[in-house]
Amino acid sequence: MSHQLSDKDLENVVGGSVNLSEKKNKIGFDTIGEGYTLKCTFAEAKALVISLFAAHSDMGEREFDIFVRDEFRSRNWI
């Protein structure tokens, strides 16, 4: 079953852990204390975070932060 997140759902997700800033073109990870400038568009970053959360919503915040960071690194987006 597929679940689509609205912008409000995304705000709830990113508010506690993964933080995206369109204005600064940055991504930050609260639980691991890291932040990076994006080497992709904000839209690409947002879409990836939404899809990763939809596929891995059972992960804890720290585990999810590390997973997202590693996925962004593997794509050379940070």
Side-chain angles (χ1 to χ4, degrees):
M1 183 170 84
S2 177
H3 177 70
Q4 185 174 359
L5 296 175
S6 69
D7 285 342
K8 183 174 177 153
D9 292 330
L10 178 61
E11 287 174 12
N12 291 334
V13 172
V14 299
S17 189
V18 177
N19 298 286
L20 289 172
S21 171
E22 183 173 14
K23 187 175 183 179
K24 295 179 182 179
N25 201 40
K26 293 189 180 253
I27 188 168
F29 305 94
D30 289 348
T31 64
I32 56 176
E34 297 176 14
Y36 302 91
T37 299
L38 294 169
K39 297 178 186 176
C40 62
T41 67
F42 177 80
E44 290 170 323
K46 180 180 174 181
L48 180 58
V49 172
I50 290 171
S51 68
L52 292 176
F53 179 74
H56 303 280
S57 61
D58 58 333
M59 287 184 170
E61 283 187 7
R62 181 175 173 77
E63 182 183 18
F64 184 71
D65 278 9
I66 292 168
F67 179 73
V68 172
R69 180 204 58 199
D70 292 348
E71 184 61 32
F72 272 73
R73 277 189 180 155
S74 75
R75 294 170 183 244
N76 199 29
W77 285 6
I78 57 172

